[in-house]
């Protein structure tokens, strides 16, 4: 039996478990074998109905650093908060019950947090043992007001990389105990989608010094039968809980103006993804929402029909966009909303950030898209609405 009597833990590692009997041993073994021995391992069994709880108790008997907590099934948010409020170390980390970590992960992150007097570190993850994924923001320490605003400008979504600024998972990061306890207390227990987003983004807003590292110590295992890959009849309500919580958190900060457009975009994009994969609807195509919040200034709309006019009106209402032209192949009318309709050839040399194809027929939209590419318009500047 591994004993840890009288030694104050430096890092509390939280593992929440629900029916992970196939994988939890590998996760626990990787934590037990960390080179940083001064840790406590807080395992919250969220009402498992398989042998996960028995496996956990067996490990706790063999290693005194493991604290086994058994609760009724109340969901991921409740289990995570139970772990956080049970943590005693100065720093907190997380490991999912179906993943595993490199032996030096917490030693490396702990030393960096102490040496740099940091509030937060975010690192990458090794996905399916096939590729490594990092935050899309620059690798560095953000510890001034200007640098934090720079970080928050793409915190949730970086339009240039079409990805998260800071990937919203709890488990590739290290947190300060006192800040995390404060930031997590209001996370809505009803949140069942994007739980990690709520914990991570609400925490970052409380930090003064943040380091982003393009290093990876965490191995993510894809489990096809997980909750995030199942049809959910309460999908829309749960999406709304996540959105309303983060919106409220953002309203408390001076960064609301740059965070809300990202949240809105991410929320709509998540809704469209969920309509296909979490409600069982199975549409053949998803509505492209990128143009709504893409932060582009100068926009051309291709399409002067009913759908085109709707998109034109949306662009005109937006404070972040400038409509500089309307294009249509069939010049049925000469102008729309005061804009003279032009041919595609006449605008290909115009300065613009985005051209939106607003045609209902998807086959025709694709033909127009291909024509634009042939004319030399960069593909990243073309969106189909």
């Amino acid at each position: 039996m591994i004993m840890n009597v009288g030694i104050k833990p430096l890092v509390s590692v939280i593992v929440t478990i629900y029916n992970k009997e196939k994988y939890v041993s590998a996760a626990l073994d990787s934590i037990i074998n960390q080179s940083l021995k001064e840790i406590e391992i807080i395992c919250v069994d969220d009402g498992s109905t398989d042998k996960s709880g028995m496996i956990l108790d067996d490990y706790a008997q063999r290693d005194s650093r493991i604290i086994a907590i058994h609760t009724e099934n109340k969901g991921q948010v409740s289990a995570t908060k139970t772990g956080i409020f049970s943590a005693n170390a100065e720093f907190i980390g997380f490991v999912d019950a179906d993943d595993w970590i490199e032996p030096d992960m917490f030693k490396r992150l702990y030393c960096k947090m102490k040496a740099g007097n940091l509030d937060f570190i975010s690192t990458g993850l090794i996905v399916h043992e096939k590729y490594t994924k990092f935050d899309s923001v620059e690798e560095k320490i953000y510890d001034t007001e200007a640098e934090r605003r720079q970080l928050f400008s793409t915190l949730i979504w970086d339009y240039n990389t079409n990805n998260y600024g800071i990937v919203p998972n709890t488990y590739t990061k290290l947190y300060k105990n006192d800040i995390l306890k404060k930031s997590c207390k209001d996370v809505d227990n009803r949140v069942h989608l994007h739980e990690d987003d709520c914990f991570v983004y609400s925490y970052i807003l409380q930090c003064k010094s943040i380091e982003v590292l393009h290093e990876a110590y965490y191995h993510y295992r894809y489990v096809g039968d997980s909750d995030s890959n199942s049809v959910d009849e309460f999908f829309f309500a749960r999406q709304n809980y996540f959105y309303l919580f983060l919106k409220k958190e953002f309203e408390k900060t001076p960064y609301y103006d740059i965070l809300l457009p990202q949240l809105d975009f991410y929320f709509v994009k998540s809704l469209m993804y969920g309509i296909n994969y979490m409600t069982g609807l199975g549409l053949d195509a998803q509505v492209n929402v990128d143009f709504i919040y893409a932060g582009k200034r100068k926009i051309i709309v291709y399409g002067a029909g009913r759908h085109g006019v709707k998109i034109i009106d949306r662009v005109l209402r937006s404070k972040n966009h400038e409509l500089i032209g309307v294009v249509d192949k069939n010049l049925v009318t000469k102008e729309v909303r005061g804009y003279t309709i032009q041919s595609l050839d006449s605008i290909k040399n115009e300065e613009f950030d985005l051209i939106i194809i607003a045609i209902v027929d998807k086959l025709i939209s694709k033909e127009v898209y291909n024509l634009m590419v042939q004319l030399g318009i960069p593909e990243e500047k073309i969106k189909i609405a």
Side-chain angles (χ1 to χ4, degrees):
M1 180 175 182
I2 299 176
M3 301 298 291
N4 200 27
V5 179
I7 300 176
K8 181 176 175 58
L10 302 177
V11 175
S12 298
V13 183
I14 297 171
V15 185
T16 58
I17 304 159
Y18 179 71
N19 290 351
K20 297 295 182 182
E21 64 179 2
K22 295 180 182 178
Y23 313 107
V24 66
S25 292
L28 292 176
D29 287 342
S30 71
I31 303 170
I32 288 169
N33 293 316
Q34 286 291 289
S35 57
L36 181 70
K37 300 302 181 184
E38 299 88 349
I39 61 175
E40 65 176 1
I41 306 165
I42 300 173
C43 300
V44 183
D45 172 24
D46 186 33
S48 295
T49 58
D50 65 1
K51 295 180 181 178
S52 296
M54 295 173 59
I55 295 170
L56 174 57
D57 288 338
D58 179 59
Y59 271 84
Q61 287 181 355
R62 291 187 277 131
D63 192 326
S64 65
R65 297 174 300 171
I66 296 178
I67 301 168
I69 302 173
H70 300 278
T71 68
E72 296 178 3
N73 180 236
K74 297 180 180 178
Q76 180 66 37
V77 170
S78 178
T80 300
K81 288 198 286 188
T82 296
I84 292 170
F85 285 103
S86 301
N88 299 295
E90 181 181 3
F91 301 106
I92 293 176
F94 296 86
V95 176
D96 270 10
D98 43 18
D99 300 330
W100 73 98
I101 56 177
E102 293 289 318
D104 291 335
M105 175 173 172
F106 284 117
K107 184 174 184 178
R108 287 177 177 272
L109 298 189
Y110 171 80
C111 290
K112 282 185 172 291
M113 287 281 272
K114 293 296 285 187
N117 192 27
L118 302 171
D119 294 329
F120 180 65
I121 290 180
S122 181
T123 65
L125 70 160
I126 302 159
V127 184
H128 320 320
E129 299 300 294
K130 293 181 179 179
Y131 64 93
T132 304
K133 184 175 183 178
F134 302 111
D135 300 321
S136 67
V137 297
E138 182 182 355
E139 180 184 36
K140 70 174 197 176
I141 294 175
Y142 299 81
D143 60 0
T144 68
E145 172 61 26
E147 287 171 332
R148 285 193 296 274
R149 192 166 184 86
Q150 173 197 349
L151 174 65
F152 294 156
S153 68
T154 57
L155 177 66
I156 300 174
W157 201 257
D158 185 339
Y159 303 115
N160 293 321
T161 63
N162 198 33
N163 211 332
Y164 304 103
I166 297 288
V167 179
N169 59 60
T170 56
Y171 41 77
T172 59
K173 302 163 172 60
L174 196 62
Y175 312 76
K176 275 191 172 179
N177 187 323
D178 57 341
I179 299 177
L180 187 56
K181 280 186 167 74
K182 178 182 177 182
S183 67
C184 84
K185 61 184 177 62
D186 292 328
V187 178
D188 193 333
N189 285 352
R190 295 174 298 177
V191 174
H192 188 70
L193 295 170
H194 307 294
E195 302 99 322
D196 283 8
D197 305 54
C198 294
F199 285 108
V200 171
Y201 293 141
S202 63
Y203 178 88
I204 292 176
L205 295 175
Q206 306 292 325
C207 296
K208 299 297 183 184
S209 53
I210 298 163
E211 182 168 12
V212 174
L213 289 174
H214 290 175
E215 301 172 6
Y217 312 102
Y218 192 96
H219 295 263
Y220 172 80
R221 187 200 308 268
Y222 175 78
V223 181
D225 59 352
S226 68
D227 288 345
S228 60
N229 296 287
S230 305
V231 171
D232 182 0
E233 62 182 309
F234 302 109
F235 169 74
F236 293 106
R238 286 170 173 158
Q239 282 277 11
N240 208 38
Y241 295 143
F242 134 75
Y243 174 82
L244 292 176
F245 168 75
L246 280 182
K247 183 180 180 183
K248 185 177 180 180
E249 291 298 297
F250 293 165
E251 287 173 345
K252 301 174 185 176
T253 76
Y255 311 107
Y256 179 71
D257 61 319
I258 56 176
L259 289 171
L260 184 62
Q262 296 174 62
L263 178 62
D264 287 350
F265 171 77
Y266 180 42
F267 176 61
V268 175
K269 199 174 186 70
S270 298
L271 281 175
M272 299 314 302
Y273 176 88
I275 285 174
N276 264 15
Y277 300 109
M278 298 194 73
T279 67
L281 186 57
L283 296 175
D284 291 333
Q286 295 185 43
V287 177
N288 189 304
V289 299
D290 290 10
F291 67 92
I292 303 175
Y293 303 106
K296 304 295 185 181
R297 294 295 301 170
K298 296 180 178 180
I299 291 179
I300 294 172
V301 174
Y302 186 107
R306 184 178 298 178
H307 185 42
V309 172
K310 288 181 179 179
I311 300 302
I312 290 167
D313 288 342
R314 181 178 291 172
V315 174
L316 291 173
R317 288 195 302 267
S318 172
K319 295 178 181 179
N320 297 320
H321 301 114
E322 176 188 355
L323 183 65
I324 64 169
V326 178
V327 176
D328 201 307
K329 182 179 180 180
N330 301 314
L331 302 179
V332 178
T333 181
K334 292 185 178 180
E335 66 174 35
V336 173
R337 299 294 191 256
Y339 288 82
T340 301
I341 298 174
Q342 305 174 66
S343 66
L344 192 56
D345 281 330
S346 67
I347 59 90
K348 66 180 182 181
N349 295 321
E350 291 272 1
E351 289 188 11
F352 62 91
D353 298 301
L354 191 67
I355 184 164
I356 301 169
I357 301 172
I359 301 172
V360 173
D361 190 307
K362 296 304 178 185
L363 290 177
I364 297 177
S365 294
K366 189 62 179 177
E367 290 176 2
V368 173
Y369 183 98
N370 292 334
L371 177 59
M372 290 181 181
V373 173
Q374 291 172 13
L375 289 172
I377 298 174
E379 291 185 56
E380 64 269 18
K381 287 190 172 186
I382 309 170
K383 298 292 182 184
I384 297 177

